[in-house]
Amino acid sequence: MPRPLSATIHLDSMQHNLARVRACTPGAKVWGVVKANAYGHGLERGMRGFAGADGLALIETEGAVRLRELGWTRPVLLLEGIFEAADTALLDHYGLNSAVHCIEQVEMLERASFTRPIDVHLKMNTGMNRLGFRPDQFAQAWRRLRAIAAVREITLMTHFANADELEHPRLTVREQVRRFCKGAEGIDGPRSLSNSGGVLHQAELAAELSNDWVRPGIMLYGGTPGGRSAEDFGLRPTMTLASEIIGVQDIGAGDTVGYGSRFEATRPMRIGVVACGYADGYPRHAPHGTPVVVDGVRTQLVGRVSMDMMTVDLTGIEGAGVGSKVVLWGAGLPVDEVAEAAGTIGYELMCAVAPRVRMLEADLGSAHG
């Protein structure tokens, strides 16, 4: 028998969450973001789960090529663009769209030879201060791209730093939109502004936001960028990390559990050992009290997470023992709740699931775009 640890991917929930994107942003086309191996779900599963998207977006050039090899025929967008001049051949051969965020990328496109038209997303830095042209540099970059014969459509793009908190004291979405509109004044072209936060707050920002394309990421996988819960937004979990109890210890007051003996029992307790550890992607820094579900009953982590195992409190869970089913996040336990307890974000937990964890798939047809 294989080790009783698995990550089940719910493709129907992926479809549902994509439908929620469309409901929030009627009329906008949707890039389904599948970077980082579709947030740990597997690129091929991401392609099938988001078969209804207008395009797929990711960072990795090899992933873009793989999507074409898997049969995806709709647009593919490289969110960081190309990394060296040789990558222009990939754009041409595989018909990929590319973000353009710096003058070096513009120069690569100017020097390249293309056999077909290409579409690009020109990125403006409106305050995130990672990638993109400043608003006062944007028009000049656009003119240089417009002068390249092979460049067909130029989508105007930015990225929100604080879309989960609309009135952020340092930088609001509205201020970023204002900067974007000023930098893009007089420039025609489709616009792509909203990440998951922007999509989820579309109703509040309807007067400011005008998206021809949106780029949801975490919400497609049943998490939120912050603020309200995924359930509040009508989102469903797309990954359930589950295992079993493989051992039980009955301990008394004063006994300790795990490496470093950091947890000390103050009363008699029944401790269950779960087949999952940090080598599987569960965060080693998760503290005592991090929620876990055993046989449908919510309990908590005790002691330090080790490489292959973790320990949980079974006290008071009637009938719990070796073979009991454990949900570490997913159906019945939101990944965001586990992440918050561990001082991280749901993105990291899903992306960190290790290759040795068996990936299972909930039933769904295999059609793709």
Side-chain angles (χ1 to χ4, degrees):
M1 291 291 292
R3 185 165 173 252
L5 174 65
S6 63
T8 299
I9 307 304
H10 307 284
L11 298 181
D12 57 341
S13 293
M14 297 169 81
Q15 291 184 334
H16 169 86
N17 295 339
L18 176 60
R20 290 293 303 133
V21 174
R22 293 204 183 278
C24 290
T25 56
K29 294 181 180 180
V30 179
W31 291 111
V33 178
V34 292
K35 62 183 179 178
N37 198 29
Y39 285 51
H41 292 59
L43 189 61
E44 188 269 345
R45 295 183 191 92
M47 186 185 75
R48 291 195 289 123
F50 307 132
D54 299 289
L56 297 177
L58 70 174
I59 301 296
E60 306 86 358
T61 53
E62 64 273 24
V65 171
R66 181 63 179 149
L67 286 173
R68 291 297 191 222
E69 291 173 342
L70 287 168
W72 182 264
T73 58
R74 296 178 201 162
V76 175
L77 172 63
L78 294 170
L79 289 165
E80 288 180 352
I82 56 177
F83 302 104
E84 57 181 52
D87 292 338
T88 59
L90 295 178
L91 303 183
D92 188 50
H93 183 75
Y94 293 99
L96 308 178
N97 294 7
S98 179
V100 177
H101 60 76
C102 63
I103 200 63
E104 290 81 4
Q105 290 177 329
V106 175
E107 292 168 348
M108 291 179 203
L109 296 177
E110 288 174 331
R111 294 192 297 265
S113 296
F114 292 98
T115 64
R116 66 167 100 184
I118 65 166
D119 296 330
V120 299
H121 274 50
L122 180 61
K123 190 166 192 176
M124 188 190 301
N125 174 16
T126 56
M128 183 73 165
N129 289 319
R130 292 191 313 189
L131 302 177
F133 294 90
R134 295 195 316 265
D136 62 323
Q137 301 171 324
F138 194 73
Q140 176 61 22
W142 182 87
R143 284 191 290 269
R144 288 183 65 170
L145 287 173
R146 190 71 287 161
I148 300 173
V151 172
R152 180 173 52 191
E153 187 168 75
I154 304 174
T155 297
L156 315 182
M157 172 171 122
T158 194
H159 191 71
F160 295 139
N162 303 306
D164 57 314
E165 187 178 345
L166 296 185
E167 302 304 324
H168 193 280
R170 299 296 296 274
L171 182 64
T172 66
V173 171
R174 289 182 174 87
E175 173 59 18
Q176 286 196 259
V177 172
R178 186 195 68 78
R179 295 176 187 180
F180 178 84
C181 291
K182 183 176 181 180
E185 189 174 3
I187 301 176
D188 291 327
R191 300 189 172 201
S192 177
L193 285 80
S194 290
N195 51 9
S196 287
V199 169
L200 291 170
H201 292 290
Q202 175 70 38
E204 296 99 310
L205 294 167
E208 289 87 0
L209 284 183
S210 177
N211 283 290
D212 297 286
W213 284 92
V214 292
R215 309 181 310 276
I218 190 62
M219 71 175 292
L220 290 175
Y221 301 94
T224 63
R228 292 155 57 192
S229 71
E231 186 177 6
D232 287 341
F233 285 115
L235 302 171
R236 298 177 184 170
T238 59
M239 177 192 289
T240 298
L241 185 66
S243 188
E244 294 181 4
I245 301 295
I246 61 170
V248 175
Q249 297 290 336
D250 292 298
I251 65 174
D255 287 342
T256 60
V257 177
Y259 285 121
S261 300
R262 297 180 67 177
F263 176 81
E264 180 178 334
T266 59
R267 55 183 170 78
M269 296 181 69
R270 188 166 176 79
I271 301 297
V273 181
V274 181
C276 182
Y278 62 77
D280 301 298
Y282 197 91
R284 181 178 181 272
H285 58 269
H288 165 68
T290 298
V292 179
V293 172
V294 177
D295 284 344
V297 179
R298 182 172 290 234
T299 183
Q300 61 186 3
L301 176 71
V302 296
R304 179 179 282 170
V305 175
S306 56
M307 178 178 284
D308 308 304
M309 290 169 276
M310 55 193 290
T311 42
V312 300
D313 184 6
L314 299 183
T315 309
I317 304 179
E318 187 176 352
V322 171
S324 288
K325 305 302 181 184
V326 179
V327 173
L328 300 168
W329 67 67
L333 180 59
V335 67
D336 291 331
E337 187 176 341
V338 178
E340 183 177 3
T344 183
I345 54 178
Y347 308 62
E348 182 178 16
L349 297 187
M350 291 189 285
C351 289
V353 173
R356 76 174 185 174
V357 176
R358 285 183 302 137
M359 283 280 178
L360 306 177
E361 196 173 294
D363 292 338
L364 189 68
S366 58
H368 56 75

